[in-house]
Amino acid sequence: MTLNVSYAQTRKSAAQVAVGELREQLGADPLDAVIFYCDPRHDLAALGPAIQAGFDCPVIGCTASGQIGPNGFQATGILAAGLRGGDMRMRPHLISPLSDETACASSVADTVQSMVVRSDMDFSFGLLLVDGLSMREEQLAASLYQALGNVPLIGGSAGDNLQFRQTHVYYDGAFHQNAAVLAQFECDKPCASFKFQHFVPSDIDLVITEADPERRLIIEIDGEPAAQAYADAIGLQPDQLDANVFSTHPLLMTMGGDPYVRSIQQVNKDLSLTCYCAVDEGRVISVGKAVDVMKTLEEAFDGICESVPDPALILGCDCILRRVEFEQNAMLEPVGQFMASRKVFGFSTYGEQFNGLHINQTFTGIAIGA
């Protein structure tokens, strides 16, 4: 049986009306699963119960800093994907509270593992949606992946349009904070996970001389206030640092020979830097430099299609700072249209997960065969 994916979008603010539009656009035939991403400005207290009442299948979702779908990038409203056929099952699991993520993740992983062992499906993977302001993604991704064993895991951190006030994940009729949702997928179609970025290390190296990884703070770089040292390295003043600068001059650290982005979120009053991901004291990092965006996209998607020819759907988690950079460089439309042509459905995140890692300024995805 072929996997069929239908899409729906609405910009209506009233919860019942919005869900009614989504339901109508997704069609009358029974759905096996629904995934949605929504503007954080919605009345979530009303939207949660409306979604539960509107769909009689498993549903997952979260607040986002924009969505990605059949029309490319979308900045507002709600975007949903309905899945039918393809011998696919989706089982959501709530992980809460994230302040006790090790025990909660272990319990959920045990449940998932037991289901995988008993499953009559050939493939399984996990999609993780996390409260993007919880600052627990590093520990959660590591704990989950270790406990899950061979199950591929991709994910994204919920957003709120760069306001950094409240982010939520949806589970069972309500939006939750200090929580994550792990959606366990089982299917008979081939699946393959992948990630990519378009930054490589430059020749500008910096040393983290003081940091607070628990709070994702870089306090000093090369013995100077972090924002001052970073601004000096890229030829700016600290008061010129903003999301546009961070998106085009990210920090990179190398692990196992591969570069991983450590994006800056904001400058603090004491000139420390808050990042989207923890950076350890003593690390040598470099300022990243961009390579060709479209070439990187084409190579990454061509590579994944070697494993999953002509996928029916690619679930994607794409960092908000990538979107900020695309807007700044007038690349938002071509990148969005490219992703739409490759059947990407996803959202702009406050961080991405790939197997046991929490990363930044990266696209993580999983391709699902038709």
Side-chain angles (χ1 to χ4, degrees):
M1 184 184 297
T2 300
L3 174 62
N4 179 270
V5 185
S6 54
Y7 299 97
Q9 58 182 337
T10 180
R11 289 182 170 83
K12 295 295 175 60
S13 56
Q16 299 283 356
V17 177
V19 172
E21 282 199 352
L22 297 176
R23 178 69 259 190
E24 183 179 1
Q25 292 173 38
L26 290 177
D29 293 339
L31 290 158
D32 296 320
V34 170
I35 307 168
F36 76 90
Y37 302 112
C38 71
D39 190 313
R41 291 171 292 187
H42 276 278
D43 180 354
L44 302 182
L47 184 60
I51 289 171
Q52 186 176 45
F55 298 99
D56 56 5
C57 63
V59 181
I60 63 164
C62 68
T63 59
S65 292
Q67 303 89 26
I68 309 167
N71 295 319
F73 287 102
Q74 176 179 314
T76 60
I78 306 172
L79 182 65
L83 309 183
R84 295 180 175 93
D87 296 320
M88 173 176 283
R89 289 191 292 260
M90 182 184 82
R91 294 188 177 98
H93 305 273
L94 182 67
I95 303 173
S96 178
L98 291 182
S99 51
D100 188 23
E101 92 286 328
T102 301
C104 293
S106 177
S107 176
V108 167
D110 287 345
T111 300
V112 171
Q113 274 191 323
S114 67
M115 291 179 176
V116 169
V117 169
R118 298 194 306 268
S119 175
D120 56 351
M121 302 288 193
D122 292 333
F123 297 92
S124 63
F125 65 89
L127 173 63
L128 182 65
L129 304 178
V130 194
D131 178 346
L133 298 179
S134 66
M135 302 184 74
R136 304 300 297 176
E137 294 100 326
E138 292 91 345
Q139 298 88 341
L140 178 62
S143 298
L144 267 180
Y145 188 64
Q146 183 177 15
L148 287 173
N150 295 325
V151 177
L153 180 69
I154 67 128
S157 302
D160 68 346
N161 293 331
L162 295 174
Q163 296 302 302
F164 307 115
R165 292 172 184 161
Q166 291 186 331
T167 58
H168 297 78
V169 297
Y170 171 88
Y171 174 84
D172 194 27
F175 284 84
H176 302 262
Q177 292 178 281
N178 190 27
V181 174
L182 173 65
Q184 171 195 0
F185 286 83
E186 298 171 352
C187 61
D188 277 339
K189 304 300 180 183
C191 303
S193 58
F194 65 113
K195 68 175 180 67
F196 63 88
Q197 63 192 44
H198 63 279
F199 283 93
V200 297
S202 69
D203 57 2
I204 303 173
D205 288 332
L206 306 168
V207 179
I208 307 299
T209 48
E210 186 177 352
D212 184 344
E214 280 292 314
R215 294 193 292 157
R216 296 179 178 168
L217 286 177
I218 300 177
I219 299 169
E220 286 188 358
I221 294 175
D222 293 337
E224 296 184 32
Q228 184 65 61
Y230 170 75
D232 289 345
I234 58 176
L236 297 175
Q237 297 297 318
D239 61 4
Q240 295 176 286
L241 301 178
D242 58 17
N244 289 330
V245 173
F246 302 147
S247 69
T248 52
H249 298 87
L251 303 176
L252 269 70
M253 69 179 190
T254 301
M255 297 185 292
D258 292 325
Y260 291 88
V261 180
R262 290 294 181 262
S263 301
I264 299 168
Q265 183 187 101
Q266 61 188 19
V267 178
N268 303 310
K269 291 181 180 180
D270 62 357
L271 295 185
S272 63
L273 297 172
T274 298
C275 297
Y276 284 96
C277 194
V279 182
D280 294 327
E281 195 169 296
R283 280 274 186 185
V284 176
I285 57 174
S286 61
V287 176
K289 64 177 181 180
V291 294
D292 189 282
V293 171
M294 295 307 299
K295 182 179 179 182
T296 303
L297 278 170
E298 291 166 0
E299 289 176 349
F301 281 85
D302 287 348
I304 200 63
C305 286
E306 292 179 6
S307 302
V308 183
D310 192 23
L313 174 67
I314 294 178
L315 296 174
C317 302
D318 196 36
C319 184
I320 180 58
L321 289 185
R322 284 169 50 86
R323 182 174 184 148
V324 169
E325 182 194 0
F326 299 153
E327 289 174 342
Q328 188 178 6
N329 297 334
M331 292 294 293
L332 193 67
E333 184 172 350
V335 171
Q337 290 307 312
F338 177 90
M339 289 192 181
S341 72
R342 298 302 181 98
K343 302 175 183 175
V344 172
F345 172 76
F347 72 110
S348 296
T349 74
Y350 279 179
E352 305 75 57
Q353 293 81 51
F354 187 79
N355 293 336
L357 294 176
H358 176 58
I359 48 185
N360 306 129
Q361 217 152 336
T362 303
F363 179 100
T364 64
I366 190 149
I368 308 169

